[in-house]
Amino acid sequence: MSRYLFDNTDARTPDRFSTLESCYDPVSRRQLELTGLAPDFRCLEVGGGGGSLGAWMGERVGPEGEVTVTDLDPRWAESRPRPPQVRLLRHDIVNDPLPGGDYDVIHARLVLLHLPERLAVLERLVAALRPGGWLLLEEFDCTWIPVLATPDEASTALFTHVQAALLAQLEKAGADVAWGRRVPAAMTRAGLTEVTATTYAESWAGGGRGIDLHRVNMEQAEAGLRGDGVTEGELRRFYALLKNPGFVINSYPLISTRGRRPGSGVGVGSGGGA
Ligand SMILES: C[S@@+](CC[C@H](N)C(=O)[O-])C[C@H]1O[C@@H](n2cnc3c(N)ncnc32)[C@H](O)[C@@H]1O
């Protein structure tokens, strides 16, 4: 059973979505373009969160196309303006019947990572593609976040300690924190062809926009972190470190993997190299 750790009822959720949007939407838009996204495409955006990519896809497919954006809790996407061809749906990708089939493009970013049932979900998404349609999954490898600059070694140790505790919380909730690196093989096993992966990372300096994702995540998981022995003092020092410009880390690496359902569709979405 899914138990999404960062559920959208939390008031900090818009901070998470705006950080993801500003750091990763340009990457995701480029990856979506590589599928050949075009007017009249039928698209499914799973776990659309704040809805920025769903709205953008809607503009790209135009009035002849359609985009269905699903989320367990779509409250934050509801308030975002979107073209009429974008439909928002409260929907559980694990337990509800899929909202349609024969999709040209299905996209999900940072959703299957959280789901214990990710392999079954992947198979359902593959089955919902039209022959020749593309599945694009973009997922973090949370295990690779090198520290690029630090005021002192104690700060590096603190970051590593608190971050490890967060990953343990995610794993307890059923996440696979290294899922990003497993997607290409999982897609191939699920029968997709032309499987290609591209990884994006950037530096996140203390006080900047990207690194704030760690604050949002830790604050939302604080109760569990304390239960696992992270002290109040460690958390306070951790939050202060995230504001120190002398502390610089690698962003979470986003691994964008796309694969194509075999069959007809040659000439549509030829999706060149990354
Ligand atoms: C980390 S957020 C990512 C949001 C968005 N895809 C992005 O990258 O900005 C994960 C999203 O998946 C949604 N989600 C979690 N479990 C889900 C499920 N079983 N079915 C549909 N959506 C789910 C959450 O509600 C949340 O909006």
Side-chain angles (χ1 to χ4, degrees):
M1 186 67 188
S2 304
R3 189 175 74 77
Y4 176 53
L5 189 66
F6 300 134
D7 86 83
N8 292 358
T9 57
D10 192 281
R12 282 161 287 223
T13 304
D15 291 351
R16 171 175 301 105
F17 289 157
S18 68
T19 302
L20 293 176
E21 183 180 335
S22 67
C23 293
Y24 296 110
D25 273 17
V27 179
S28 299
R29 289 199 292 265
R30 168 77 180 135
Q31 291 296 322
L32 283 162
E33 279 168 347
L34 290 169
T35 68
L37 191 67
D40 86 5
F41 265 35
R42 277 168 55 78
C43 303
L44 176 64
E45 166 76 351
V46 177
S52 58
L53 285 171
W56 177 83
M57 286 162 81
E59 283 161 19
R60 294 302 300 260
V61 303
E64 304 302 316
E66 63 172 66
V67 178
T68 302
V69 179
T70 72
D71 203 286
L72 211 48
D73 180 352
R75 71 181 68 195
W76 305 104
E78 274 161 5
S79 51
R80 176 184 291 271
R82 58 188 178 278
Q85 57 271 22
V86 178
R87 176 170 68 125
L88 267 189
L89 208 59
R90 182 176 296 274
H91 180 269
D92 179 351
I93 194 61
V94 176
N95 296 304
D96 295 337
L98 283 174
D102 263 338
Y103 291 106
D104 297 290
V105 173
I106 300 178
H107 174 251
R109 187 177 71 188
L110 306 174
V111 181
L112 274 67
L113 180 154
H114 293 282
L115 308 176
E117 307 85 353
R118 64 190 65 78
L119 292 178
V121 170
L122 172 55
E123 286 192 3
R124 299 178 75 207
L125 296 181
V126 169
L129 289 169
R130 69 159 173 77
W134 287 97
L135 175 62
L136 171 62
L137 296 181
E138 301 189 283
E139 304 280 3
F140 286 159
D141 179 348
C142 306
T143 66
W144 192 71
I145 312 183
V147 173
L148 305 177
T150 185
D152 49 52
E153 285 315 309
S155 298
T156 302
L158 174 69
F159 178 80
T160 306
H161 168 61
V162 178
Q163 174 65 12
L166 178 76
L167 297 191
Q169 288 297 307
L170 282 163
E171 283 174 337
K172 273 190 214 168
D176 177 353
V177 297
W179 168 237
R181 70 170 71 171
R182 300 195 227 283
V183 175
M187 275 194 184
T188 303
R189 278 196 301 272
L192 295 180
T193 58
E194 301 177 50
V195 174
T196 313
T198 307
T199 303
Y200 173 81
E202 61 188 13
S203 58
W204 281 352
R209 179 123 208 209
I211 205 167
D212 194 48
L213 185 60
H214 288 285
R215 174 194 61 83
V216 176
N217 289 347
M218 296 303 168
E219 283 184 356
Q220 200 166 340
E222 262 188 18
L225 294 173
R226 286 202 197 90
D228 272 358
V230 178
T231 66
E232 195 61 40
E234 286 171 332
L235 282 171
R236 298 283 80 82
R237 289 203 301 283
F238 181 86
Y239 295 133
L241 186 60
L242 298 182
K243 293 191 179 142
N244 182 341
F247 183 67
V248 184
I249 54 173
N250 213 55
S251 68
Y252 282 111
L254 183 73
I255 304 180
S256 306
T257 309
R258 66 180 189 278
R260 197 169 203 191
R261 182 167 175 187
S264 62
V266 175
V268 180
S270 60

